[in-house]
Amino acid sequence: MKKIVIFSLAALSLMACSKQVATEEEERVEVVKTMTLQPRKVQRQITVSANLQGYETVNVAPSVQGRIEHIYVEVGDEINRGDTLVRMDQTQYRTSQLTMANLETEMARMNALIESGSVSRQAYDQAKLSYDQTKENLAFLKKNTYYRSPFRGVVAAKNNEDGELYGGAPILTITQVEKLKALIAIPESYIPLVKEGMKLMLSSEIYADKTFPAFIEIVYPTVDASTHTFQCKIQIPNANRLLRPGMYVTTMLPLNEDNIICVPYQSVEKLVGANDRYVFLNENGYAKRVAVTLGQRIGEDVEIIAPEIVAGAEYVYVGQHKLVDGVKLQIAE
């Protein structure tokens, strides 16, 4: 009987201890610091990147076949509009010149005969047609025998040498460098905010202490269905030639002013093994976990977006690392 009483007392003692532990767990309190969320007016902006291109680039590929008589330039040479770049075999051009000289004499005679009525209109029209065709062909041969630069730029590539047989591939590549361009892709949600003529600044890792002015020249009218972005063509003045085609640049595109809610970046928690972000709010003295989307980064702060993130909400910014959803909070002074 005595043993039964001892066992009963021990069981009661264990039950009391279990209840005490459960009570302590239920009453877990974490000391934290909070702040009241307030909207902040900021300039909306997005960061985009692009590769620079020469504003105009032309592959020198004459439309006549034959031997390349002479190439007047080398890679890196600066050229002006109208400079002769390549001289092709002149045989066709000179033959066409002789034919044209003969036809000019013939047309002078035909003009005199048609005025006196000594030749039929049909014969005159046939001679005139032959003259016009030869004149057009001569202009074509001149352009493609003596290939001239269509703009001011530099020689970017040379693929042939004097005397080689031209097979149709580009002999030279020339590109404009005093003015550059780039195509940037912008999320479709910004369509109402992006306009032609908007000014922006470019930066390059090569010139860490410099920025370069540019502006949006063309806003393309369609959206890519796979990426949900639209393209803009930007123009970059480059008179000092610091930037070069092919370089990688980034730009901050200024958009509209907006009221956003920002918090210290370090106070936003990240789910282990994922990229999900969350924060804690003080809801009537208890921690409430809220999943958020990160927006614009502003110095040490970051924009957070969620239906629960509103002005006046009490946000936990110190002590949040040890919180779980529903734990009781003690607000430190």
Side-chain angles (χ1 to χ4, degrees):
M1 186 68 178
K2 187 176 181 179
K3 290 182 178 181
I4 293 174
V5 172
I6 292 173
F7 285 141
S8 297
L9 290 173
L12 290 171
S13 177
L14 288 171
M15 290 176 64
C17 288
S18 298
K19 289 182 179 179
Q20 183 178 357
V21 171
T23 302
E24 289 177 355
E25 183 66 29
E26 290 172 359
E27 294 179 351
R28 173 186 168 189
V29 178
E30 296 291 351
V31 179
V32 297
K33 290 185 178 181
T34 62
M35 57 187 279
T36 302
L37 296 178
Q38 296 293 342
R40 180 194 301 185
K41 180 172 285 189
V42 297
Q43 176 77 49
R44 281 287 189 190
Q45 55 188 17
I46 56 173
T47 303
V48 292
S49 57
N51 288 311
L52 298 179
Q53 306 171 39
Y55 191 80
E56 289 188 72
T57 298
V58 169
N59 290 318
V60 177
S63 298
V64 295
Q65 300 297 312
R67 187 171 58 87
I68 301 171
E69 286 190 353
H70 187 56
I71 301 173
Y72 292 86
V73 293
E74 295 292 338
V75 173
D77 285 355
E78 295 191 10
I79 52 177
N80 294 310
R81 181 184 178 90
D83 286 355
T84 302
L85 304 177
V86 176
R87 186 180 75 237
M88 300 295 293
D89 189 306
Q90 303 174 74
T91 304
Q92 293 185 66
Y93 176 64
R94 288 174 176 171
T95 300
S96 185
Q97 280 183 311
L98 293 173
T99 303
M100 187 64 190
N102 183 59
L103 286 174
E104 285 176 344
T105 302
E106 181 66 20
M107 277 308 299
R109 184 165 50 249
M110 293 297 288
N111 286 330
L113 291 174
I114 195 68
E115 290 178 3
S116 63
S118 302
V119 68
S120 67
R121 172 55 68 174
Q122 182 179 6
Y124 176 84
D125 289 342
Q126 288 178 344
K128 184 67 166 61
L129 177 61
S130 179
Y131 173 83
D132 290 341
Q133 289 176 335
T134 303
K135 183 178 181 180
E136 185 175 341
N137 185 56
L138 182 63
F140 170 81
L141 288 173
K142 182 179 181 179
K143 177 181 177 180
N144 287 277
T145 300
Y146 307 99
Y147 198 100
R148 301 180 185 278
S149 175
F151 54 78
R152 176 179 171 81
V154 297
V155 179
K158 179 181 178 183
N159 304 312
N160 294 93
E161 298 295 338
D162 291 358
E164 290 185 353
L165 189 64
Y166 173 60
I171 300 172
L172 301 168
T173 298
I174 57 174
T175 189
Q176 196 171 17
V177 293
E178 290 184 342
K179 183 169 62 172
L180 303 175
K181 67 180 180 182
L183 295 177
I184 57 175
I186 301 174
E188 64 181 0
S189 57
Y190 295 107
I191 285 178
L193 305 177
V194 178
K195 306 294 182 183
E196 292 180 359
M198 286 181 64
K199 295 181 179 179
L200 49 124
M201 301 298 290
L202 304 183
S203 60
S204 168
E205 292 182 354
I206 298 174
Y207 303 108
D209 59 339
K210 294 181 180 294
T211 56
F212 303 90
F215 66 92
I216 296 178
E217 182 178 1
I218 298 175
V219 177
Y220 285 71
T222 58
V223 173
D224 188 316
S226 60
T227 62
H228 295 285
T229 60
F230 64 100
Q231 283 193 324
C232 292
K233 175 185 175 184
I234 62 175
Q235 184 182 137
I236 308 102
N238 190 40
N240 54 16
R241 309 272 184 103
L242 291 179
L243 299 174
R244 298 190 180 185
M247 286 177 61
Y248 179 81
V249 296
T250 59
T251 181
M252 298 292 289
L253 186 64
L255 301 172
N256 62 318
E257 283 192 343
D258 200 2
N259 288 318
I260 65 176
I261 291 179
C262 294
V263 298
Y265 181 80
Q266 296 299 328
S267 68
V268 180
E269 298 292 292
K270 181 180 179 182
L271 190 64
V272 177
N275 199 36
D276 297 339
R277 304 287 182 144
Y278 62 93
V279 298
F280 285 96
L281 300 181
N282 177 13
E283 188 175 72
N284 300 320
Y286 292 89
K288 180 180 180 181
R289 174 171 162 163
V290 176
V292 296
T293 300
L294 300 187
Q296 186 171 326
R297 184 78 182 264
I298 306 170
E300 298 298 321
D301 295 342
V302 67
E303 177 188 9
I304 55 173
I305 305 167
E308 298 89 344
I309 303 302
V310 295
E314 196 170 352
Y315 175 81
V316 179
Y317 72 97
V318 174
Q320 75 281 6
H321 305 299
K322 55 189 177 181
L323 298 183
V324 293
D325 197 29
V327 72
K328 191 172 183 179
L329 302 177
Q330 178 181 334
I331 311 302
E333 293 297 330

